[in-house]
Amino acid sequence: MAGTLEGKVAFITGAARGQGRSHAARLAEEGADIIAVDICRQIDTVAYPMATPDDLAQTAQDVEELDRRIHVAQADVRDRAALQAAFDAGVAELGAVDIVLANAGIAPMTLPGAENDPQAWFDVVEVNLTGVYHTVEVAKESLLGHGRGGAIVLTSSTAGLAGIGGESPGGLGYTTVAGGGRDRRP
Ligand SMILES: NC(=O)c1ccc[n+]([C@@H]2O[C@H](COP(=O)([O-])OP(=O)(O)OC[C@H]3O[C@@H](n4cnc5c(N)ncnc54)[C@H](O)[C@@H]3O)[C@@H](O)[C@H]2O)c1
């Protein structure tokens, strides 16, 4: 039986692992081809290891095993020109996009010894907010151009609903970008 996304193309940021890889595999299962972008390197204020080129290669393998095509690129969503180039190369190979999934994000709350580093605020705002803006901007012409409609999905966090990001600069930035949050303290 044909999947619900047969013939569609999905653009996914942060696709090397985690939810991004899972989205790539699930959409491919439904028949979509995938343009997969990830930074594949560390951002200094992030305490946990970020994705690697091997992770992105694993995403490619997972999609290809489902008999779908995938275009992978290492690009930073903060870098509009690099993201546009990655996107355009993907569209040249796979065709115009139907689905845009802005999933790339960081949570730079807890770097030991640097919990009060204001750089974490700037990094999380640049990745989780400006990066999402860039993702939609580089893709919107392609998505709107074919006139078939489509979907733009922006991943956020319940931190934006509940204000649970903590009080570090990165935590405040994370919560602010996710939607502001609501202070639940009594
Ligand atoms: N896991 C959770 O509990 C949770 C909760 C709420 C929200 N989220 C959000 O869901 C999304 C996915 O989270 P995840 O748990 O899969 O995290 P993850 O760290 O496993 O995956 C995020 C991916 O984004 C990539 N990335 C980060 N910065 C990038 C940049 N500047 N340019 C391109 N790629 C970049 C990373 O390399 C990584 O592969 C994120 O936006 C995250 O903030 C996750």
Side-chain angles (χ1 to χ4, degrees):
M1 198 174 70
T4 57
L5 299 176
E6 215 66 45
K8 307 282 188 199
V9 176
F11 171 45
I12 307 173
T13 63
R17 69 171 193 202
Q19 295 179 43
R21 182 191 288 166
S22 165
H23 294 320
R26 184 70 189 102
L27 297 180
E29 240 173 52
E30 288 293 337
D33 292 327
I34 309 293
I35 301 171
V37 167
D38 203 287
I39 189 173
C40 295
R41 64 174 173 78
Q42 199 62 29
I43 293 173
D44 289 346
T45 50
V46 175
Y48 53 86
M50 291 173 57
T52 64
D54 284 350
D55 290 326
L56 189 55
Q58 183 64 55
T59 298
Q61 192 179 320
D62 291 357
V63 168
E64 282 162 358
E65 280 171 4
L66 291 162
D67 225 9
R68 290 295 102 194
R69 295 181 298 160
I70 180 166
H71 177 92
V72 294
Q74 291 178 38
D76 186 337
V77 295
R78 294 172 295 182
D79 182 341
R80 171 89 168 253
L83 191 63
Q84 185 76 65
F87 176 79
D88 289 348
V91 168
E93 186 181 342
L94 302 177
V97 285
D98 303 279
I99 298 162
V100 176
L101 214 170
N103 163 81
I106 57 171
M109 287 93 155
T110 56
L111 188 63
E115 291 86 353
N116 289 318
D117 181 358
Q119 186 58 42
W121 165 281
F122 295 110
D123 288 345
V124 75
V125 170
E126 276 288 291
V127 175
N128 294 19
L129 183 61
T130 308
V132 169
Y133 166 64
H134 286 165
T135 300
V136 176
E137 284 297 309
V138 303
K140 72 180 186 191
E141 205 177 301
S142 172
L143 182 69
L144 295 173
H146 51 61
R148 297 190 302 270
I152 297 176
V153 180
L154 314 180
T155 300
S156 186
S157 168
T158 51
L161 298 174
I164 53 175
E167 293 178 11
S168 67
L172 292 172
Y174 186 90
T175 295
T176 302
V177 165
R182 181 163 58 91
D183 193 337
R184 303 187 107 186
R185 285 174 295 193

